[in-house]
Amino acid sequence: MSAATEGSGIRAISFDGGITGTGGLTQLHTVKEIIARLDYDLNECKEEKVSKPCETFDLFAGTGLGGLYVLLFTRLKMTVDEVIAFHGRLHRELFSSQSWNEKDKESCKALLDGIVLESLDAQALDENLDSPDSPKGFICVLNVSTPSTPHFLRTYRVRSNFGPRCTVREALYTTLADRVHLPPVPIIHDDITSLFMGAGIGFNNPTALLLEEILPCFPKANSVSGILNLGAGYMPLHSLNTTRAEADAFRNIIMDCEGVVQALQAQCHDIGQLFTRISVEHLPEDALEPSRYFQRVYAHTHEFLSQHRISGLIDDIIVILKERRHIVSPARLVNLAGKTAKVETIFTPKMETIQTPRDTEAFIRKRTTKILLPDRTVSYLGQEHSPCLAGTRAEMMAKIQDWMYDIHAPNVKVIQGFPGTGKSTFSLSLAKILSERRHLGGRFFCRRMDSVHHTPHIFWRLLAVQLVQNYPPFAEAIAAQLQYRIPDMDLMSAEEIFRFLFTPMQSITSSELFVFIVDGIDQFGGLQQQSSAREELIRSFTLWQDLPPFCRLFITTGQDAEITAAFNSDPLILDSLETDFESRGDILMCVRTYCPIKTRFSTVQ
């Protein structure tokens, strides 16, 4: 394909920096899939040519590992398969090495020296990074002395504010430098030697910077066709073998990337298909042999890219790459970039407010709750009820606790009882016990008179809000889920909301028990909505059985065969007052407590 010209739309691509090598590998396989489909269309189904990324995109931007890919694709004009092979050597010999795990900077640099010397063209590495014959790309880096300001290592020259000039080798080492595994690199800038490193913390997603760079890079261009941003995926932080401080830094990197995405989507929503984001939710790294590791990442990425929605996005990208239609002018992108920088995104905290990991967790809980909480006041905690008197319902409480701690038992328990048998009282007592033991995930007391407010989508959102506050692993998992997409949950069915909110539980490795309490499900939705809202909610309840065994759901209901049939299990029965021996004792205790006129009740048996 031809390079960018004055009359054709610019096609740009940006690469997030990866927390680990896994995320970078998914980015490379995504580029390979895009180029394979594009070649297939352009060659009329004949497998005659494999295009290089530098022949497909006009401008590249990257940070960290993403910056490395920019360098290899542009200045060294490598194919995707060649970059994947180089990445493989980095993973086998550097990222998986004992020196990397022990953070031995000197040993890590020696290992990188050997890999670069044996894999890349030494003559090209010692040339200047900027070259008139090079495809255009820039790497985002930081000056160690002024880490709040990004600098660009460019493969091309611009009219003003060019930035530090260096060799190809220096650029490669700089983008990988993180001051933990590899040291900063000295580069002469404005006649002063300064230390530079990768911009992973603060500018891990360089897309907003890319918007500003298109105009100085292509001053005569009048059109931009599309911008593709490839994320490094999301890895649950609890799966990383890191210290708490490192996990906190990784969390900030994730929030930085997704915060930029949200701001861009907000600013570009009325500009057609200008901005596309693809980020594979990749697998955690493990102790697999390298060959099995690469096979696993490839299979996972291929499965992700084969999903109907993602495959459709890629086809849309192919159309943009082929047609190069006018979408927006470069000058307008500069204006958008300025607005993006001012947007306070949902998951990007002000860094000065984050002092400890606990502060970060509190920030995530606060912002996630703000998204999930319905915009209406709902009474659902059961404050109008009173707990059981001390010593009552002991036998039933023992049965429930036996069920709670039996990991082989079903994770849903249903209790039935006629009106007036104390189901709500018992539920409130159980909630109190669970709260004291820090096992309460959340509670919802249904009220027949609140049919307007008690709807399925509000139900699951309120339970999720409580779990965010009570269970940190879930708060982290759902925050990551919301970083990728914030849907309009008012338009979703109960089953769709459940899958969106609670599917992340499958990835949580913690086995810490939590219990949700739902009281009076037979009253949910009121009399008028029983045939719709209540049935929809019960259908979504059946999905709970697919969650891990530490996720427990406790439900009370009246004489309702529908709810018990949904779980295909026999419920516990909260017996009517006149037939149960324990209940008769409880009644005597209640009478003596609340009716002190002994002469009137002296004959009660």
Side-chain angles (χ1 to χ4, degrees), residues 240-508:
L240 295 173
N241 184 23
T242 60
T243 66
R244 187 64 179 270
E246 290 171 332
D248 191 44
F250 289 152
R251 183 184 289 109
N252 286 335
I253 290 173
I254 293 171
M255 291 189 294
D256 166 45
C257 290
E258 302 305 330
V260 170
V261 172
Q262 292 170 25
L264 285 171
Q265 289 173 338
Q267 295 299 324
C268 300
H269 71 279
D270 61 339
I271 313 180
Q273 292 181 317
L274 172 67
F275 174 70
T276 303
R277 161 83 167 182
I278 297 178
S279 186
V280 177
E281 298 180 17
H282 57 268
L283 300 172
E285 296 198 35
D286 50 31
L288 291 174
E289 292 297 323
S291 60
R292 291 180 59 200
Y293 160 79
F294 289 119
Q295 291 173 1
R296 186 175 182 183
V297 174
Y298 170 75
H300 182 75
T301 305
H302 180 73
E303 180 182 358
F304 176 82
L305 298 178
S306 299
Q307 295 177 17
H308 179 73
R309 183 179 68 85
I310 303 301
S311 182
L313 282 178
I314 293 176
D315 285 338
D316 291 340
I317 293 167
I318 301 301
V319 173
I320 291 171
L321 293 175
K322 290 192 299 184
E323 298 184 358
R324 308 186 69 159
R325 290 175 294 182
H326 171 77
I327 299 296
V328 67
S329 67
R332 186 176 178 188
L333 287 185
V334 174
N335 184 43
L336 286 176
K339 291 182 178 180
T340 299
K342 298 175 183 178
V343 174
E344 182 185 358
T345 56
I346 295 173
F347 289 102
T348 306
K350 295 180 179 179
M351 296 305 295
E352 65 269 17
T353 66
I354 304 298
Q355 303 296 333
T356 67
R358 181 176 297 178
D359 291 335
T360 303
E361 290 177 359
F363 176 86
I364 291 177
R365 288 198 302 270
K366 179 180 178 181
R367 289 300 176 91
T368 305
T369 299
K370 182 179 179 180
I371 297 172
L372 295 177
L373 200 63
D375 57 354
R376 63 191 77 176
T377 302
V378 180
S379 175
Y380 61 94
L381 295 177
Q383 296 98 326
E384 67 274 16
H385 300 291
S386 300
C388 299
L389 290 174
T392 62
R393 293 296 187 191
E395 182 179 349
M396 182 63 74
M397 191 66 72
K399 290 180 180 179
I400 296 302
Q401 294 189 54
D402 288 344
W403 160 75
M404 284 166 32
Y405 297 109
D406 181 1
I407 61 172
H408 301 294
N411 64 352
V412 179
K413 177 61 68 176
V414 180
I415 282 189
Q416 279 187 338
F418 286 107
T421 53
K423 299 186 297 297
S424 298
T425 297
F426 183 84
S427 297
L428 196 62
S429 297
L430 179 61
K432 181 179 179 181
I433 292 173
L434 292 173
S435 180
E436 292 172 350
R437 299 179 183 178
R438 297 190 177 182
H439 290 328
L440 180 64
R443 57 181 174 171
F444 195 103
F445 285 71
C446 303
R447 300 176 60 184
R448 192 181 301 277
M449 302 306 296
D450 276 344
S451 60
V452 175
H453 292 160
H454 285 192
T455 61
H457 73 272
I458 289 181
F459 174 89
W460 285 122
R461 289 168 68 176
L462 289 175
L463 287 187
V465 165
Q466 294 178 77
L467 194 56
V468 164
Q469 302 297 324
N470 297 333
Y471 194 60
F474 177 77
E476 181 180 299
I478 194 61
Q481 182 87 333
L482 291 168
Q483 286 169 359
Y484 292 109
R485 182 168 68 100
I486 302 178
D488 186 348
M489 284 180 272
D490 289 339
L491 302 178
M492 297 168 69
S493 69
E495 294 179 48
E496 291 172 335
I497 292 176
F498 179 89
R499 288 193 176 95
F500 180 79
L501 293 177
F502 292 95
T503 298
M505 296 298 297
Q506 301 284 6
S507 64
I508 294 178

Side-chain angles (χ1 to χ4, degrees), residues 55-335:
E55 299 169 330
T56 306
F57 295 94
D58 305 307
L59 180 61
F60 295 73
T63 299
L65 269 177
L68 173 65
Y69 304 148
V70 169
L71 183 69
L72 300 179
F73 285 143
T74 58
R75 194 60 179 80
L76 301 184
K77 301 180 182 179
M78 294 171 67
T79 66
V80 180
D81 285 336
E82 289 171 338
V83 176
I84 289 176
F86 182 72
H87 177 102
R89 285 205 65 177
L90 286 178
H91 181 270
R92 290 190 302 271
E93 301 175 26
L94 180 61
F95 300 146
S96 299
S97 68
Q98 183 176 353
S99 298
W100 189 269
N101 292 331
E102 293 178 354
K103 303 175 179 61
D104 185 339
K105 288 193 285 290
E106 292 186 4
S107 297
C108 287
K109 186 178 183 301
L111 289 172
L112 182 58
D113 288 339
I115 296 169
V116 170
L117 181 64
E118 295 176 10
S119 304
L120 303 177
D121 183 352
Q123 181 178 350
L125 289 172
D126 292 329
E127 295 176 353
N128 286 332
L129 177 63
D130 59 284
S131 169
D133 299 326
S134 172
K136 292 178 169 54
F138 70 88
I139 301 169
C140 185
V141 298
L142 298 177
N143 187 323
V144 173
S145 301
T146 57
S148 61
T149 303
H151 295 266
F152 296 163
L153 302 181
R154 296 180 174 94
T155 66
Y156 52 93
R157 302 298 302 272
V158 293
R159 185 169 181 271
S160 60
N161 299 321
F162 179 74
R165 298 188 68 184
C166 64
T167 65
V168 175
R169 187 189 304 272
E170 289 172 332
L172 188 154
Y173 281 78
T174 300
T175 191
L176 295 179
D178 58 1
R179 291 200 296 186
V180 176
H181 303 96
L182 292 167
V185 177
I187 297 176
I188 298 176
H189 180 44
D190 293 336
D191 297 326
I192 299 175
T193 300
S194 301
L195 293 177
F196 287 86
M197 58 179 284
I201 297 181
F203 303 94
N204 202 54
N205 185 334
T207 311
L209 302 173
L210 176 66
L211 300 183
E212 296 181 313
E213 185 68 9
I214 290 177
L215 185 59
C217 182
F218 300 99
K220 296 183 179 180
N222 55 23
S223 176
V224 177
S225 294
I227 298 172
L228 172 62
N229 173 225
L230 295 181
Y234 167 71
M235 177 179 293
L237 298 182
H238 53 73
S239 68
L240 295 173
N241 184 23
T242 60
T243 66
R244 187 64 179 270
E246 290 171 332
D248 191 44
F250 289 152
R251 183 184 289 109
N252 286 335
I253 290 173
I254 293 171
M255 291 189 294
D256 166 45
C257 290
E258 302 305 330
V260 170
V261 172
Q262 292 170 25
L264 285 171
Q265 289 173 338
Q267 295 299 324
C268 300
H269 71 279
D270 61 339
I271 313 180
Q273 292 181 317
L274 172 67
F275 174 70
T276 303
R277 161 83 167 182
I278 297 178
S279 186
V280 177
E281 298 180 17
H282 57 268
L283 300 172
E285 296 198 35
D286 50 31
L288 291 174
E289 292 297 323
S291 60
R292 291 180 59 200
Y293 160 79
F294 289 119
Q295 291 173 1
R296 186 175 182 183
V297 174
Y298 170 75
H300 182 75
T301 305
H302 180 73
E303 180 182 358
F304 176 82
L305 298 178
S306 299
Q307 295 177 17
H308 179 73
R309 183 179 68 85
I310 303 301
S311 182
L313 282 178
I314 293 176
D315 285 338
D316 291 340
I317 293 167
I318 301 301
V319 173
I320 291 171
L321 293 175
K322 290 192 299 184
E323 298 184 358
R324 308 186 69 159
R325 290 175 294 182
H326 171 77
I327 299 296
V328 67
S329 67
R332 186 176 178 188
L333 287 185
V334 174
N335 184 43

